[in-house]
Amino acid sequence: MARGWTAGLGAGLLVMAATQATAQESASPPSPSTASSTAFDRKAQQLVDVINDNIGYDAYFAPIFQAAVPETQFKSMIAGIATQYGRALAIDAVNAPNGRSGSLRLRFEKGVATVLLDVGAAPDERVTGLRITGFVMENDSFARIAGELATLPGSTGFLVAEIDGNRLVPQASAEADRQFAVGSTFKLYVLDELAAQIAAGRRKWDDVVPLSHPSFSSLATANWPKNTPVTVQTLANWMISVSDNGAADTLIHLLGRERIEARMRDAGHSAPSRNVPFLTTVEAFALKGNNFAELREAYVKGNDAAQKKLLDNNENRLILANVDGVSFVEGPRFIDSLEWFASPNDIARLMVDLKDRASNQAMSSLSINNGLGVEAGERWSFLGYKGGSENGVLSMSFLGQRKADSKWFVITASWNNPAANVDSVQMVGFMTRLLALTAKN
């Protein structure tokens, strides 16, 4: 992702926001309007041909959409969807009371998608917004998903487990004990330690602290003046809901690296040394860059103590101003050695620890952005989410309470490929399916 580890997977990845176009000739031109149909009806009926590349992108989408989602990105997303669900076949269940905005069901060879569509005003009437909010795969199963995940390039692992007290009861899994690079999922350990310190009376959610450690961040803190006062709860909300790196690094320094490492061990991480020292995002960004190659080599070769000493000795060098940005524009960089690591079982145990902490504020931070949109959460009384991504790394994890019987579950998966970037659209599709199967079983 363009500025390092983020968690905007899910809803953000399948949102294709507005556009307008300079019309091109299409392979199959839009059908003429009729007096009885609305603009929404006409564009809905053309969507199958758009998905199957029989109607030109420019002819269908308005410029505002094209600016937000360029044609190459749109086609890449559609290709990822086609890999799992096949070709688009037909439109069902159109519902647009005002004739311009509404929903429809788009049938594919292997499943059905729910689509939200917005159409611009006359005379242009091209599509300004398109969101695919969820898929239902026909005859889906955990075994089928496991088989498909196993065919992806690189390595994958997942776990679906019911939480019974403080026990995890696996429902489905593959490579659940394997350590994966998980990107911003590491921020869950920061949240867990923050909630623990507040429960112990060391801090309060309404404590005001300076935004002390800028990083490549979300819009929440990007370009904010250093030391801007914010509450601890605001930092937690930013860190989890939009994966803000400045908020995360500020909290790591506030809470203490060693305390977070201890919390990670207490939460049951099976290989804690992989994350000791517990890197800030700026330290990771800097060490991955070309201008710290010698430090990187020494860091990777060192044991925990040597690595900690290296970070301490270079505290004034490993800062945002010295990050060269190469990590954000090239392919995967050192994801096997310079990252945050966890197995699906480690993440599940962490989610249990967070749940058992019974902190309304921590749980609220988790549920601000459920990762997959409103429809995915309809069968859940509570749905919390944290994801992580960088080049070659994707991780998505959910903590949910099922509406049907009030049972709690963890659904988590990771995909690593040190040789090439991984397909976020495919990952979102897999997680949508895992969540749907867990919700109805």
Side-chain angles (χ1 to χ4, degrees):
M1 292 268 172
R3 289 208 164 188
W5 293 275
T6 66
L9 295 170
L13 288 172
L14 290 183
V15 170
M16 304 167 196
T19 49
Q20 273 172 350
T22 56
Q24 290 181 346
E25 291 294 322
S26 60
S28 175
S31 54
S33 61
T34 64
S36 60
S37 67
T38 66
F40 186 94
D41 293 332
R42 294 190 290 274
K43 291 303 178 185
Q45 293 306 317
Q46 293 166 10
L47 185 56
V48 170
D49 280 334
V50 173
I51 297 296
N52 292 335
D53 203 20
N54 296 323
I55 289 180
Y57 169 87
D58 286 351
Y60 189 77
F61 292 112
I64 188 174
F65 187 98
Q66 293 180 38
V69 185
E71 183 174 7
T72 54
Q73 181 183 353
F74 176 79
K75 289 189 173 180
S76 174
M77 296 167 84
I78 294 306
I81 291 170
T83 299
Q84 289 192 67
Y85 303 103
R87 287 175 57 81
L89 299 178
I91 301 297
D92 296 328
V94 174
N95 179 25
N98 67 4
R100 294 206 174 276
S101 296
S103 64
L104 56 89
R105 289 168 61 82
L106 175 59
R107 282 194 286 116
F108 289 80
E109 291 174 317
K110 302 175 185 177
V112 179
T114 299
V115 180
L116 305 181
L117 196 68
D118 298 296
V119 181
D124 193 295
E125 291 189 346
R126 279 177 287 179
V127 167
T128 59
L130 186 154
R131 175 185 290 185
I132 300 176
T133 63
F135 278 94
V136 176
M137 174 75 81
E138 294 180 358
N139 302 314
D140 208 5
S141 67
F142 289 131
R144 181 176 182 177
I145 294 172
E148 292 176 20
L149 281 168
T151 68
L152 296 175
S155 58
T156 60
F158 82 97
L159 171 68
V160 177
E162 181 185 345
I163 300 173
D164 181 11
N166 60 3
R167 290 191 316 122
L168 288 165
V169 183
Q171 310 293 295
S173 66
E175 299 289 348
D177 287 319
R178 180 171 182 163
Q179 292 292 310
F180 292 92
V182 296
S184 280
T185 303
F186 83 88
K187 294 167 184 172
L188 290 172
Y189 287 109
V190 182
L191 180 66
D192 197 23
E193 174 58 18
L194 173 60
Q197 290 193 19
I198 289 171
R202 291 174 53 85
R203 305 188 187 281
K204 295 184 293 184
W205 288 105
D206 59 1
D207 284 349
V208 175
V209 299
L211 184 66
S212 59
H213 287 77
S215 179
F216 286 106
S217 287
S218 71
L219 291 178
T221 68
N223 302 316
W224 276 42
K226 187 176 179 180
N227 295 325
T228 297
V230 290
T231 68
V232 166
Q233 186 168 0
T234 297
L235 291 173
N237 289 346
W238 283 339
M239 177 180 70
I240 300 301
S241 67
V242 294
S243 207
D244 189 272
N245 292 324
D249 284 6
T250 294
L251 284 172
I252 290 171
H253 284 277
L254 179 71
L255 302 174
R257 196 195 306 264
E258 291 79 8
R259 287 183 177 274
I260 298 169
E261 292 165 357
R263 182 62 50 199
M264 175 181 62
R265 295 185 185 96
D266 289 345
H269 196 292
S270 58
S273 182
R274 296 296 302 271
N275 299 325
V276 175
F278 200 86
L279 289 169
T280 66
T281 64
V282 163
E283 289 168 342
F285 293 153
L287 288 171
K288 283 175 179 280
N290 289 335
N291 55 342
F292 285 109
E294 290 184 7
L295 277 186
R296 176 174 61 245
E297 183 178 359
Y299 184 88
V300 170
K301 290 181 178 178
N303 60 21
D304 292 354
Q307 290 176 337
K308 175 66 164 57
K309 184 176 180 180
L310 183 148
L311 294 181
D312 289 343
N313 290 344
N314 291 277
E315 180 180 1
N316 295 327
R317 297 179 63 200
L318 299 173
I319 60 175
L320 181 60
N322 293 334
V323 174
D324 68 5
V326 67
S327 301
F328 315 138
V329 295
E330 297 186 357
R333 289 181 66 84
F334 315 108
I335 67 171
D336 292 331
S337 56
L338 265 174
E339 248 284 350
W340 301 270
F341 298 92
S343 70
N345 272 321
D346 292 335
I347 294 171
R349 286 189 286 267
L350 170 57
M351 288 293 201
V352 172
D353 204 50
L354 273 166
K355 175 182 173 293
D356 286 350
R357 209 159 292 291
S359 166
N360 291 334
Q361 292 85 350
M363 295 292 276
S364 294
S365 292
L366 282 173
S367 64
I368 293 170
N369 168 18
N370 77 13
L372 293 177
V374 174
E375 183 167 313
E378 287 180 349
R379 292 185 175 182
W380 300 89
S381 302
F382 175 89
L383 188 62
Y385 167 74
K386 187 73 193 80
S389 68
E390 68 160 299
N391 293 333
V393 174
L394 280 174
S395 181
M396 299 180 72
S397 300
F398 299 86
L399 172 65
Q401 184 181 32
R402 195 163 61 187
K403 277 185 180 178
D405 53 15
S406 297
K407 291 182 178 180
W408 285 85
F409 294 86
V410 177
I411 304 97
T412 180
S414 292
W415 179 11
N416 291 176
N417 187 356
N421 292 339
V422 294
D423 187 343
S424 56
V425 173
Q426 287 194 66
M427 186 67 161
V428 168
F430 286 123
M431 298 310 295
T432 301
R433 292 164 60 190
L434 287 173
L435 206 65
L437 284 171
T438 308
K440 72 178 185 180
N441 280 5

